[in-house]
Amino acid sequence: MKRILYSLLLIFCVSSLAFSADITFSGKVIDAQTKEPLPGATITIQDLKISAITDLNGTFSFKRIPDQGKFLIQISYLGYKYLNKTIDFSTTKSIVFALQPSLIEANEVVVTGTVTGADSKKNSTSVGVLSHEEMLDRSSTNIIDAVSKVAGVSQITTGQAISKPVIRGLSYNRIVTINDGVKQQGQQWGDEHGIEIDQYSADRIEVLRGAASLLYGADALGGVINILEPLTVPEGTIKGEVLTNYSTNGGLSATSAMLTGNRDGFVWRGRGTFKNAYSFKTPDYYYPNSGFNEASGEAMLGLNKSWGYSHLNITSFNNNIGFYENTRDAQGNFINAQGNPYTLKQLKERELESPNQAISHFKVASNNNFLFKKGNLKLDLGFQNNVRKELYEAVPKLYFDLNTYSLDAKYYSPEKNGWQPTFGLSSDYAKSLNKGEEFLVPNYSNYGIGVFYYLNKNWDNSSFNAGIRYDYRNNKGESLFIGGQQKFTAFENHFSNLSGAIGFTHQFSDRFNIKTNLSTGFRAPNPAEQASNGVHEGTFRYEMGNYNLKAEKSYQADLSFQYSIETFDFNLSFYNNYMNDYIYLSRKNNETIIATGENGQPETFPLYRYTQDNADLYGTDASLIFHPAKFLHFENTYSFVHAQNLALNRPLPFIPASSLRNELKIEPKIKGLKSFYTSIGLDNYFAQNRVDNFETTTVGYSLLKAGVGASFNLGKQLVRLNISGNNLLDKRYYDHLSRFKPGRLSSTDATFGIYNPGRNVTFGIYVPLSI
C-alpha cells in the first residue's frame, strides 16, 4: 500500500509541472421558446465539483477553469428539461444555454457513479436516482430506508434504526455503498449490521442496479449505492441548511445543520446531526427497547483550482440501538427484567435498556482530481475505523474493532476521435480484532488489489463501452483456543478473478432509447462466512462457517427501454443474473446446538451453516411518470425478482416480495407560496410464497400514505414545511424482509412475530441559508 501511495505521489509531483492555466468561463441561461433569461438556474460541472447559480439576468460565471479539456456541464431549472452539454474550454469561453420547458425535468440526469460521467440516456447501466427534495418530502428513519423508495431496492430491517440494502434480491457484502468517494466498510456481513452514514449528509443518491465489479471490484455483484455530497458553492458565498423532523411513531426527533462556503477556491463544509427515538408502536402494541439515538458530525476542507480539486472529508458517526429478546408473561404481555409488564411510561423512555448495541464509525477520506494537459487522475484515499459492541448490562459480549485502508485511482487518457480510455487501480487492507467476552468470528485480515482498463465511445445518438478487470484477494484468520479447546482454526485463502463488461445505448429519437449491458462479477467469501463459530446474539442463532467456500461469480444481462414525451415517461428493465457458488446461510433438518447463552447458562440454539450452490435471479423494474396537466404528477414503480437455487430446485432464502407503488401529487400555484403540493399514495406488496424450507411465507398487504408541503418566505428567508404520513390505516403486516417477522430469526419460534410499525406521521421544517 505504501509503495502504491509513493508511486502515485511521484506521478502527481512530476505531472504537476504540466498543469493547465486558468480562465473564466461565463454564459447565460434562457428559455428556448421565449428567449427570456432564467434567474436561479443551476449550472454544475461534476468532474470539477463546482456549481453556479444564474443571476436576475440569467448570467453566470466560473473562475479558475482549466484553459483546456472537455467537461460535461449540466443545467437544470424547475419546470424545464435537464440540459447536458460537453464543453471544450480550449475553444469555448462563453455560451448561451437554451432550456426547453418540460413537465418531467429529470430525464437526462447526470450519473457520476460509473467510470465516466454521462447523462442517464447514454449510460448503459440501469440507474435510479433519489434527489435531495425527494428525501426531504418522504419520511425515513435512516439512509437505507430513504433509498428503498427507488425501484428495485428493498431493505432488511431490524426495527427503526437498522436497514440493510437489497438490490434485485442481493444484499450483505454483494452491495457496495460509496460515501465520500470510498467504499463504506462496517462489518456488512451481519443481519443486524446497518450502514453507518448520516442520512442528511446526502445531496443526491444514485443506485446502480446490477453487477458493477468492473469499477468497484469484488463485492459489487448486486449493485452500488453512490451517496453524493453537496457540490461546492459559488465563490464568495456561504450557504447552509437547518432541518428538523418529528415522527409520532417512536417519537423520532431529528435535527441537522450544515454550513458550507467558498473563498477564492478554498472550500469548506461542516454538518452536525442528532436523532433520538423511543420504542416503536405496531397497530397493537409497543415493542420494548426498540429505540435508538444517533449523533454524527462531518467536516470538509479543500481547494478548487484550475488544476482540479483536492478535498479532505472527516466524519464521525455514533449509534446506540436497543434490543429486546421477546419475553412475555402468561397473558402475552411484554415483561421487563423484573418480570413485570411494561408501563406506557417505560415504553416511552428514551434511555436504552440492556441489551443494546453501540456502534461508532470514524472515517477520513481524501478526494482528488488532478487535471493535466493530457488527461486527468482521480485519486480517492480512505481510512475507516468501525467499532461494534453488543452490550449486556454494559458489558461488551461481542466487540468488533475493524480498521480499513483503501485506495482508488483512475487515470483518464485524452479523448481521441470520440474514444476515451481509462486505467484504474484499487487496493484495500482491513484488520478486525475481537475485544469482547464472546467470539463469533476470529481475528482476521484481508487484502485486495484490482486493475482495470475501460474504453468509452460516444456518437451523437449512441454510446459504447467495454472493460476488463483483474482482482486478487487474500483472507487470513487467526486461531483461538479457549479453555484448552480450539475455537477457531487458522486459515489463509487466496482468490483471483478476471471480469469484464460491455454496454451499448442508442437513442432512436428524442422520445425512445434503449440500453443494454453484459457484465461479470466476483466476490470472495468474507471471513464470517468462512470461519463463524458461535452464537450471534443479535440474530438469536448459532452460525457455523465453511473454510472451503469458493468465490461467487456472477454473469448478468440487463436490457432497459425508455419512452418519454412532454407528459409521459416510461422506463422498463429486464435482467438475469446467473451466479456460480452463491453463498447463503441454511438450516438443514432443523439442526440445533447447545451453547452458552447471554445469561451464562447452556441454551439450545438453531444451527445455521454457510453453504453454496448455483443460483439464478431474474426479474424486472419499471417506472411510469404521467403528467396529464402541469399541476398533476402521477408516479408508479414496480419491482419483481425471481430467485432459484438451481442445485436444490427451490427458492433462495430472504428474497423480497414483489411491489407496486403508486403516488398522485397535486402541485397547484397558490398566491403567496413559492411551491405547494399534496400527495396520496398506495404501496402494494404482494404475498411471498417462494421461500426456502426453513423460512415462513408472508401475505400481501397495502399501505396508504399521504403528504402535504409548501415553501414560502418569512421576510427574506425561505422556509419549507412538510407533513407526511405512512401506514395511515394502521395496517397489521409483516414485511418479508423484517427480521422480526414470525420465523425470521428462528424457525422454531413461530411466536416471535412482531408486526412492522403502525401509523406514523412526520412533521418537517427545512430552512436553506444563504449568507
Side-chain angles (χ1 to χ4, degrees), residues 111-122:
V111 177
T112 64
T114 50
V115 179
T116 56
D119 67 59
S120 59
K121 286 185 177 180
K122 286 196 172 183

Side-chain angles (χ1 to χ4, degrees), residues 691-707:
V691 297
D692 206 339
N693 57 4
F694 60 88
E695 281 188 283
T696 54
T697 61
T698 48
V699 300
Y701 56 91
S702 297
L703 303 178
L704 181 67
K705 61 185 180 181

Side-chain angles (χ1 to χ4, degrees), residues 298-317:
E298 65 174 72
M300 184 276 285
L301 296 174
L303 291 173
N304 281 25
K305 299 292 184 179
S306 61
W307 47 259
Y309 63 81
S310 182
H311 295 175
L312 181 68
N313 285 276
I314 301 174
T315 62
S316 176
F317 181 97

Side-chain angles (χ1 to χ4, degrees), residues 546-557:
N546 183 348
Y547 294 108
N548 298 314
L549 292 176
K550 302 175 184 178
E552 293 180 337
K553 294 184 179 179
S554 166
Y555 306 89
Q556 176 160 306

Side-chain angles (χ1 to χ4, degrees), residues 229-247:
E229 62 182 345
L231 291 178
T232 57
V233 294
E235 288 195 27
T237 62
I238 297 176
K239 293 190 175 184
E241 64 183 26
V242 176
L243 64 89
T244 184
N245 296 319
Y246 178 80
S247 299

Side-chain angles (χ1 to χ4, degrees), residues 731-762:
K731 178 80 174 181
R732 297 181 183 90
Y733 73 98
Y734 298 114
D735 183 272
H736 189 72
L737 296 185
S738 169
R739 295 184 57 254
F740 289 157
K741 81 179 182 74
R744 180 62 172 88
L745 298 178
S746 166
S747 62
T748 62
D749 186 5
T751 65
F752 192 90
I754 302 298
Y755 289 122
N756 281 77
R759 183 185 298 112
N760 185 34
V761 180
T762 299

Side-chain angles (χ1 to χ4, degrees), residues 129-130 135 138-157 163-167 205 207 209 225 637 639 656 659 661 683 685 705 726 735 737:
V129 177
L130 189 67
M135 287 184 278
R138 301 174 183 176
S139 62
S140 55
T141 58
N142 58 69
I143 195 163
I144 300 304
D145 186 32
V147 177
S148 67
K149 312 299 190 291
V150 176
V153 182
S154 307
Q155 57 178 327
I156 297 171
T157 60
S163 296
K164 296 180 68 65
V166 181
I167 301 178
I205 300 176
V207 179
R209 295 176 288 238
I225 296 175
T637 63
S639 299
S659 64
R661 303 170 184 170
D683 291 343
Y685 295 85
K705 61 185 180 181
N726 293 323
D735 183 272
L737 296 185

Side-chain angles (χ1 to χ4, degrees), residues 672-691:
L673 298 180
K674 291 287 185 180
S675 63
F676 173 84
Y677 77 89
T678 181
S679 66
I680 187 168
L682 192 66
D683 291 343
N684 305 280
Y685 295 85
F686 298 90
Q688 180 57 290
N689 298 314
R690 302 194 73 258
V691 297

